[in-house]
Amino acid sequence: MGLSATYKILKEHLVDGLLEPGGEIGIRIDQTLTQDATGTMAYLQFEAMGIPRVKTEISVSYVDHNTLQMGFENADDHRYLQTMNAQYGIHYSRAGNGICHQVHLERFGRPGATLLGSDSHTPTGGGIGMIAIGAGGLDVAVAMGGGPFYLAAPRVLNVRMTGRLRPWVSAKDVILTVLDTLTTKGNVGTVVEYTGPGIESLSVPERATITNMGAELGVTTSLFPSDAMTHDFLVRQGREKSWRELLPDRDAEYHRVIDLDLGAIEPMVALPHSPDNVKRVSDIAGMAVDQVAIGSCTNSSYRDIMTVASILRGGKVHPTVSLIVAPGSRQVLEMVSRNGALADMIAAGARIMESACGFCIGSGQAPVTEGVSLRTNNRNFKGRSGTDSAGVYLVSPETAALSALRGNLVDPTSLPAGECPAIEPPERFLVDDSMIIAPDGGAGEIFRGPNIGGPPYTEPLADSIRGVVGIKVGDKITTDHIMPAGVRLKYRSNIPRYAQFVFEGVDPSFSKLSLERKERGICTAIVGGQSYGQGSSREHAAICPMYLGVRVVIALSFERIHSGNLVNFGIVPLVFAGQGDYDAVRPDDEFEIDGLRKAVEADETVPVRIGTRSIQCTILASQRQRRILLEGGLLNFTKKGS
Ligand code: MIC
Ligand code: SF4
């Protein structure tokens, strides 16, 4: 049997392990990216490793998440990043230059390469034919130091596309359709590879919309082959030399194949509060809308923003709607401002925002109480918009722009096909990399304002732990639930401060009570349901609980990035044997685990006394991760040169 494109790239980068689905492999990482919200911790940890300069082909540090300077904290973080990056050989993309994934695709992504990013939407890079994986900041720090990235060799699920999208239907509708089929649960350890004649009509930015939202499926990453379309994009970006062809073998082996006829796809919408709560737009068309927000790393390319501008041209935003448009990069913003499209959007009443994450991460633009917000981004978790009672609906830019004009949800295919804007890519994208500062060896000192704490400190795993179940939560708990974003994000470089907000929206007393227990030498356990730790790659969702004395999380199942982060910070992820054991646990139950070190060293499972019962839990860690746990985390493990 031949190889998939996924396995071709993995094979070229394999440095450890056997390339067979399920087994643990180590791969060489060519490129890394960080953003400011995860970056400060990643770089503090990199500094702690004592390596003088990054060893990757290129490492880029983007500032795009915390760009609203409410207080000194974000500005201090950015100055730290800029001065630290200069010294250690990292490119620094300044605030205003755009969203990491969009800029990386435009300026650095390279077919056949590997990219590790401290952001769960790093798989956006799969649109240009690279294996791009999201991970915790500490994993990225290790990769910057030349260490391999470890993962389970994936199963490859092939989505075979035929046909062509109809007018008014676009890439967002494709990925929402895929989410409808595969859902956000149960896809851990899988890569989705898109092939078939249908992909030939999808441009790189459209492919990137699809791979971006693969993050919501919970897969390791998603990948398009590198073909003539990829070549075309790179030529227009003035980066033809970065192109290489990368196709799956004709007889490539896939774990599962799904056929998708692009011509049958309809405009889709993800209803509150989960990206897989998908319906056809036509099912709920006519619903009144309060806010429309267009942008984010999912839908903010030149193609998307030009589509929106041409829909808005000559019209006026409905008086009851607030329309927000945030082009994804300075390249896009400058191009639409030079060609007049920006003026069309402003004339229609759009509010133009900075090229940054902004509304997507709840940094501004919170909707009205109980409001309906149509957004083109990728996550609609409850409260993420900044308004707990609001409902966020995820749609395509076409659906969003038309609805902003009408004041209610419009099914774009109800309009004549001839009115659908046909956006051609520019002959040449406007290239100006002057806001990406190349490292100069760092003439000055590294700036450390009062918001910059130290790298987290962890201790080797104890042999027996006892304590209390501090919280019991249900299914699909996201890292946003564990560590709130929005206004709290600015504390991310300061663990003791940020730790005050662990589970803030679920149980505001969790942090205080856990810390009090820790001071009395008592551990805290977290109990969760299915898919614990969905969403963001935020390693703070492990670091801050660790700081509060959490030593185990017991759940029915875990998401990949989060369980990896738990291990990296010395917290043992344990899996219940079944629903009955989960149901029997009560918050405040006492728990006790003896012989934990020995079990982590050698056993699949470990006995846990919890409440009045004794249950058997599976230790969710590979052999290598077990060694990391015994050392008390990846930083200790790496420093020891293990
Ligand atoms: C997100 O979309 O949730 C974020 C904010 O980009 C996160 C990263 C973070 O927590 O900083 C992500 O996707 O990993
Ligand atoms: Fe930024 Fe939103 Fe993309 Fe996360 S999902 S990187 S917050 S634009």
Side-chain angles (χ1 to χ4, degrees):
M1 280 299 241
L3 290 180
S4 59
T6 306
Y7 267 66
K8 284 189 178 175
I9 303 179
L10 291 177
K11 196 171 163 205
E12 284 177 13
H13 290 81
L14 189 71
V15 290
D16 201 0
L18 276 180
L19 203 48
E20 277 163 16
E24 190 174 48
I25 53 168
I27 55 168
R28 182 170 40 81
I29 296 298
D30 299 319
Q31 307 188 344
T32 64
L33 71 78
T34 58
Q35 35 88 343
D36 51 322
T38 52
T40 50
M41 204 42 70
Y43 294 118
L44 285 167
Q45 295 173 131
F46 184 77
E47 283 190 83
M49 286 176 198
I51 299 168
R53 209 180 157 80
V54 293
K55 296 185 178 157
T56 45
E57 155 192 317
I58 189 154
S59 287
V60 192
S61 161
Y62 294 91
V63 175
D64 54 1
H65 277 60
N66 295 334
T67 57
L68 284 185
Q69 316 290 21
M70 314 276 278
F72 66 93
E73 292 90 346
N74 294 336
D76 278 16
D77 282 2
H78 301 166
R79 182 62 62 80
Y80 162 73
L81 289 173
Q82 184 164 0
T83 51
M84 185 285 173
N85 294 164
Q87 211 160 99
Y88 285 90
I90 299 144
H91 284 69
Y92 176 76
S93 173
R94 303 179 61 189
N97 197 46
I99 304 174
C100 53
H101 309 303
Q102 176 66 27
V103 179
H104 207 86
L105 194 74
E106 292 167 355
R107 306 305 310 143
F108 299 108
R110 172 170 79 72
T114 51
L115 165 69
L116 193 72
S118 60
D119 191 281
S120 65
H121 290 104
T122 304
T124 312
I128 205 166
M130 68 198 303
I131 290 281
I133 303 180
L138 183 48
D139 286 318
V140 176
V142 169
M144 286 190 291
F149 175 66
Y150 285 85
L151 71 158
R155 291 184 302 252
V156 185
L157 187 158
N158 179 212
V159 176
R160 213 177 154 276
M161 294 176 158
T162 53
R164 222 188 146 90
L165 291 173
R166 291 179 299 138
W168 293 114
V169 181
S170 67
K172 182 59 150 290
D173 303 308
V174 176
I175 186 61
L176 288 175
T177 304
V178 174
L179 268 153
D180 192 25
T181 313
L182 297 177
T183 79
T184 58
K185 290 200 296 190
N187 304 314
V188 175
T190 304
V191 170
V192 182
E193 186 169 311
Y194 293 91
T195 65
I199 68 169
E200 284 163 26
S201 59
L202 296 174
S203 66
V204 166
E206 291 173 287
R207 295 174 179 188
T209 295
I210 296 170
T211 57
N212 169 283
M213 243 186 127
E216 277 50 69
L217 295 167
V219 295
T220 306
T221 190
S222 305
L223 181 74
F224 276 84
S226 169
D227 55 9
M229 267 298 187
T230 325
H231 181 255
D232 178 80
F233 178 76
L234 283 166
V235 169
R236 291 175 203 263
Q237 286 284 355
R239 297 203 293 122
E240 190 178 0
K241 285 209 183 85
S242 297
W243 185 75
R244 68 174 260 206
E245 190 176 59
L246 192 100
L247 306 174
D249 288 333
R250 278 183 185 285
D251 58 347
E253 188 176 0
Y254 293 105
H255 171 73
R256 183 178 162 198
V257 181
I258 296 180
D259 287 311
L260 189 63
D261 174 7
L262 295 179
I265 292 179
E266 294 186 46
M268 304 299 268
V269 50
L271 272 49
H273 299 284
S274 180
D276 64 354
N277 193 5
V278 175
K279 293 252 176 318
R280 285 190 297 257
V281 171
S282 58
D283 291 340
I284 57 164
M287 172 184 71
V289 168
D290 302 294
Q291 183 191 57
V292 175
I294 297 170
S296 92
C297 57
T298 318
N299 275 126
S300 60
S301 64
Y302 176 83
R303 181 248 168 234
D304 287 339
I305 303 299
M306 285 301 292
T307 303
V308 168
S310 73
I311 292 172
L312 295 181
R313 185 175 305 128
K316 291 288 172 208
V317 172
H318 192 272
T320 60
V321 174
S322 172
L323 170 65
I324 292 140
V325 181
S329 68
R330 179 164 155 273
Q331 178 181 80
V332 175
L333 179 57
E334 192 174 344
M335 288 181 72
V336 298
S337 63
R338 289 189 188 279
N339 71 13
L342 182 66
D344 292 336
M345 293 190 285
I346 295 172
R351 302 166 61 192
I352 308 299
M353 300 289 148
E354 188 179 18
S355 293
C357 300
F359 68 83
C360 175
I361 188 56
S363 187
Q365 314 308 330
V368 64
T369 302
E370 292 180 5
V372 169
S373 178
L374 293 192
R375 298 183 168 208
T376 65
N377 59 299
N378 44 42
R379 290 188 172 141
N380 58 350
F381 305 146
K382 190 168 178 346
R384 180 174 162 107
S385 65
T387 305
D388 230 42
S389 63
V392 172
Y393 295 71
L394 307 176
V395 295
S396 70
E398 289 83 349
T399 304
L402 288 166
S403 305
L405 294 175
R406 291 251 194 101
N408 57 52
L409 182 65
V410 177
D411 173 359
T413 54
S414 64
L415 274 77
E419 285 178 24
C420 175
I423 305 299
E424 287 302 320
E427 186 66 26
R428 280 267 184 264
F429 287 95
L430 193 157
V431 173
D432 169 7
D433 290 333
S434 58
M435 282 181 76
I436 301 173
I437 302 180
D440 62 359
E445 271 197 17
I446 297 179
F447 173 90
R448 293 173 211 275
N451 194 42
I452 304 286
Y457 169 77
T458 53
E459 282 169 0
L461 188 69
D463 194 38
S464 76
I465 55 174
R466 57 209 67 230
V468 171
V469 174
I471 192 166
K472 180 179 176 185
V473 289
D475 291 348
K476 291 192 180 183
I477 287 296
T478 70
T479 41
D480 281 4
H481 289 107
I482 309 169
M483 281 321 310
V487 290
R488 300 300 186 205
L489 267 188
K490 67 178 184 179
Y491 299 122
R492 302 237 326 227
S493 314
N494 184 338
I495 297 303
R497 183 80 176 96
Y498 197 33
Q500 290 171 3
F501 307 108
V502 178
F503 281 121
E504 187 189 22
V506 185
D507 173 3
S509 66
F510 177 85
S511 169
K512 193 166 159 284
L513 295 180
S514 303
L515 202 56
E516 280 171 13
R517 277 194 290 271
K518 181 183 169 193
E519 276 153 15
R520 287 184 281 127
I522 302 170
C523 295
T524 296
I526 295 172
V527 168
Q530 298 283 3
S531 293
Y532 182 80
Q534 271 191 9
S536 150
S537 64
R538 203 166 301 160
E539 63 186 344
H540 298 73
I543 304 176
C544 293
M546 181 272 293
Y547 174 81
L548 297 177
V550 173
R551 293 292 173 264
V552 288
V553 178
I554 318 177
L556 283 164
S557 66
F558 289 86
E559 285 302 301
R560 173 189 66 87
I561 301 181
H562 185 60
S563 65
N565 283 337
L566 290 173
V567 170
N568 285 353
F569 294 97
I571 299 179
V572 187
L574 296 176
V575 182
F576 284 113
Q579 185 73 34
D581 285 347
Y582 167 83
D583 290 342
V585 177
R586 280 166 311 153
D588 296 331
D589 269 353
E590 290 187 358
F591 77 95
E592 194 174 339
I593 310 178
D594 287 320
L596 183 58
R597 284 191 69 88
K598 204 184 116 292
V600 165
E601 257 165 41
D603 302 332
E604 280 299 301
T605 62
V606 64
V608 180
R609 195 187 59 70
I610 191 160
T612 54
R613 308 173 73 230
S614 186
I615 60 172
Q616 205 67 24
C617 295
T618 303
I619 303 166
L620 186 65
S622 67
Q623 288 310 321
R624 178 175 169 276
Q625 287 182 315
R626 286 161 187 261
R627 297 205 303 278
I628 294 174
L629 281 170
L630 292 170
E631 293 299 333
L634 183 58
L635 197 52
N636 298 352
F637 180 80
T638 309
K639 279 204 238 164
K640 239 183 115 183
S642 308

